[in-house]
């Protein structure tokens, strides 16, 4: 055991190295605690740009960084590659798939969320979502194979299905994914394929709500829809999916043949509530105390997508990166305050704005009194996302890739991998 890891000091275990878990670890770096950061992957993923990996704008390496490299300067932090499978709250232990139970003095649960198919889990094989690098490369493979097959398909019905792309869910991920697919299928590939023109492809975005981007003001939601439609995306709101399989989707009673379907309609939290013996909310999240503590377990904090944290307006905070990062820092500061005998403060989220991009030169940004759309919002979105990427290399490469794509319409990561 390294000399820097002293068992006599309080041991903080952080389950999950997403935005929240990593923010907590960094805030505890160099402090008089020993930190164990557990994740089933060896890398931290920048999820807001995962759709660009799925549509060939970025390679996986540009959108992720090794966890050990991120925390290497903090001698009191160690990283464990394993999967959390439960919590023994009474015994102050966290249960791991491969390792022995790990004791803790403080525990931060940042175990994230997975896709929710609303009781239709059998749809997952035909409509993958976007939560991991593997998800993104699987979607990329589906899209590119469909285009390759369409280039040589002579049957009109089969070719139309190959060139039909359906995105289910009208939140930021769905909107961004639909816009990116539209640009890829209608502009980028048409310069290289001989039998696919900009008008061959059909992109459909479906949402059961009455409008897209429900977390945005009505005006920006309408502008996002207009921008998508200008890219050739068919937007269908107020319609539910009744069935889904590998040949297409039942939309409002009509069957639409499609070989590529992407799920962006909902998520459900990790089973942290069950681990703690607590009643979850409708999305499976743990209702937290004001300090982000789990009810009846003051030594356990729940943050990010796993937490149902009140927003002060009779709702809960959204599962987005800024919320998770602020919660991670707050949990770490609360632990340090408690160790110093200082009073613990309630978590207060500072909302610095909400943004979503809709393809080339189109985006919407909500900063409360200030609302932006079009090119200004798109430029601001790009600067913000490059800035928050981990590591100078990632920022530089992503920035250069975006400039190249903007000038040439060419995609730098159009590789089909994982074929059997």
């Amino acid at each position: 055991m390294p000399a820097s890891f002293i068992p006599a000091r309080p041991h903080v275990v952080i389950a999950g190295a997403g935005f929240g878990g990593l923010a907590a670890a960094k805030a505890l770096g160099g402090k008089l605690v020993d930190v164990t950061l557990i994740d089933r992957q060896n890398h931290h993923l920048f999820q807001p740009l995962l759709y660009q990996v799925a549509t060939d704008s970025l390679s996986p390496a540009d959108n992720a960084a090794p966890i050990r490299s991120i925390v290497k300067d903090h001698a009191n932090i160690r990283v464990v590659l394993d999967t959390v499978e439960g919590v023994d709250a009474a015994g102050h232990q966290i249960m791991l798939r491969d390792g022995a139970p790990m004791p803790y003095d403080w525990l931060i649960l940042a175990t994230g969320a997975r896709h929710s198919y609303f009781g239709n889990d059998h749809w997952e094989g035909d409509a993958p979502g976007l939560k991991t690098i593997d998800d993104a490369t699987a979607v990329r493979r589906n899209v590119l194979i469909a285009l390759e097959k369409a280039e040589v398909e002579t049957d009109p019905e089969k070719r139309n299905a190959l060139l039909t792309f359906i995105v289910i869910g009208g939140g930021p991920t769905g909107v961004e994914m639909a816009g990116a697919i539209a640009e890829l299928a209608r502009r980028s590939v048409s310069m290289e394929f001989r039998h696919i023109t900009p008008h061959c492809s059909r992109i459909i975005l479906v949402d059961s709500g009455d409008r897209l981007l429900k977390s945005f003001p009505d005006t920006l939601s309408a502008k996002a829809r207009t921008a998508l439609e200008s890219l050739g995306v068919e937007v269908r709101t107020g319609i539910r999916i009744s069935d889904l399989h590998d040949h297409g989707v039942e939309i409002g009673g009509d069957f639409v043949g499609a070989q590529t379907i992407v799920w962006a309609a909902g998520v459900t939290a990790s089973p942290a509530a069950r681990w703690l013996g607590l009643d979850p909310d409708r999305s499976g999240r743990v209702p937290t105390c004001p300090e982000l503590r789990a009810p009846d377990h003051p030594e356990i904090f729940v943050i990010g997508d796993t937490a149902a944290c009140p927003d002060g307006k009779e709702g809960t905070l959204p599962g987005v990166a800024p919320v998770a990062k602020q919660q991670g820092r707050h949990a770490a500061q609360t632990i340090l305050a408690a160790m110093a005998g200082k009073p613990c403060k309630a978590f207060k989220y500072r909302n610095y704005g909400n943004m979503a991009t809709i393809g080339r030169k189109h985006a919407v940004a909500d900063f409360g009194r200030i609302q932006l759309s079009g090119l200004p919002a798109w430029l601001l979105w790009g600067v913000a996302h490059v800035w928050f990427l981990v590591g100078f290399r990632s920022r530089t490469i992503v920035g250069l890739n975006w400039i190249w794509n903007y000038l040439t319409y060419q995609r730098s990561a159009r590789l089909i991998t994982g074929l059997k």
Side-chain angles (χ1 to χ4, degrees):
M1 182 176 291
S4 59
F5 196 85
I6 306 173
R9 299 194 300 189
H11 183 203
V12 181
V13 173
I14 303 174
F19 287 108
L22 199 58
K26 287 182 175 180
L28 293 170
K31 308 300 182 182
L32 295 178
V33 294
D34 290 314
V35 180
T36 299
L37 182 57
I38 306 171
D39 199 282
R40 60 184 178 182
Q41 306 287 350
N42 78 327
H43 56 268
H44 167 74
L45 179 64
F46 193 75
Q47 282 194 352
L49 293 182
L50 199 55
Y51 80 95
Q52 295 209 3
V53 176
T55 53
D56 318 326
S57 292
L58 296 176
S59 73
D62 298 335
N63 199 46
I67 299 169
R68 294 184 185 276
S69 296
I70 298 172
V71 299
K72 68 179 185 300
D73 294 332
H74 301 295
N76 66 321
I77 301 177
R78 65 170 178 173
V79 178
V80 172
L81 184 67
D82 210 330
T83 299
V84 176
E85 294 199 326
V87 175
D88 176 10
H92 284 210
Q93 294 184 109
I94 191 165
M95 317 308 289
L96 303 178
R97 176 177 296 174
D98 300 322
M102 182 178 294
Y104 63 82
D105 296 300
W106 302 91
L107 174 62
I108 299 176
L109 289 175
T111 43
R114 56 184 176 84
H115 309 113
S116 173
Y117 290 85
F118 309 109
N120 297 286
D121 292 345
H122 57 284
W123 289 354
E124 184 172 5
D126 299 316
L130 282 178
K131 280 292 180 183
T132 67
I133 288 289
D134 290 340
D135 292 337
T137 53
V139 171
R140 180 180 70 183
R141 181 167 57 248
N142 292 346
V143 171
L144 295 181
I145 288 176
L147 293 170
E148 293 289 348
K149 289 183 177 180
E151 175 76 354
V152 296
E153 180 59 61
T154 57
D155 183 285
E157 185 175 347
K158 292 181 179 180
R159 189 170 190 270
N160 288 339
L162 288 167
L163 292 175
T164 298
F165 305 90
I166 299 177
V167 179
I168 303 170
T173 299
V175 167
E176 291 171 348
M177 189 69 194
I181 291 177
E183 288 197 336
L184 171 67
R186 287 179 168 266
R187 184 61 183 264
S188 297
V189 301
S190 65
M191 295 186 293
E192 299 178 6
F193 286 74
R194 298 296 174 257
H195 297 95
I196 298 178
T197 69
H199 301 289
C200 290
S201 301
R202 184 184 185 190
I203 301 92
I204 303 173
L205 176 61
V206 185
D207 190 83
S208 60
D210 58 352
R211 65 185 181 92
L212 304 177
L213 299 177
K214 297 174 187 176
S215 61
F216 286 74
D218 291 351
T219 53
L220 292 182
S221 175
K223 288 181 178 180
R225 178 169 186 150
T226 300
L228 281 171
E229 291 174 340
S230 70
L231 291 173
V233 177
E234 299 177 30
V235 179
R236 301 190 183 184
T237 54
I239 299 177
R240 292 186 179 275
I241 301 298
S242 55
D243 196 11
L244 184 157
H245 45 75
D246 60 347
H247 297 300
V249 176
E250 294 280 350
I251 306 175
D254 295 328
F255 175 77
V256 179
Q259 294 295 311
T260 304
I261 307 166
V262 181
W263 187 266
V267 296
T268 185
S270 71
R274 175 168 54 81
W275 297 341
L276 300 176
L278 300 173
D279 293 328
D281 72 351
R282 294 178 60 185
S283 298
R285 300 175 298 176
V286 177
T288 64
C289 298
E291 305 87 5
L292 302 178
R293 286 179 159 126
D296 303 323
H297 301 291
E299 75 286 352
I300 299 177
F301 295 82
V302 187
I303 63 174
D305 291 342
T306 316
C309 181
D311 62 0
K313 301 177 183 178
E314 300 183 354
T316 55
L317 292 172
V320 294
V323 172
K325 292 171 73 171
Q326 291 183 38
Q327 289 179 333
R329 288 192 292 268
H330 180 85
Q333 291 164 1
T334 302
I335 290 172
L336 296 174
M339 289 171 52
K342 298 179 180 179
C344 300
K345 299 179 181 179
F347 173 71
K348 292 184 179 179
Y349 173 57
R350 294 185 178 181
N351 188 353
Y352 295 107
N354 202 5
M355 294 184 286
T357 184
I358 311 104
R360 182 185 176 89
K361 297 191 296 184
H362 294 286
V364 291
D366 175 28
F367 302 106
R369 295 181 180 180
I370 300 176
Q371 298 177 4
L372 299 175
S373 61
L375 182 60
W378 183 75
L379 292 172
L380 186 60
W381 177 92
V383 170
H385 282 71
V386 169
W387 175 257
F388 286 114
L389 277 171
V390 177
F392 174 77
R393 175 185 176 276
S394 294
R395 293 171 183 168
T396 302
I397 291 177
V398 170
L400 291 174
N401 276 340
W402 282 350
I403 293 173
W404 177 254
N405 292 343
Y406 183 85
L407 294 174
T408 66
Y409 282 95
Q410 294 184 24
R411 303 296 178 107
S412 59
R414 196 180 304 150
L415 306 176
I416 300 176
T417 59
L419 292 177
K420 298 180 181 180

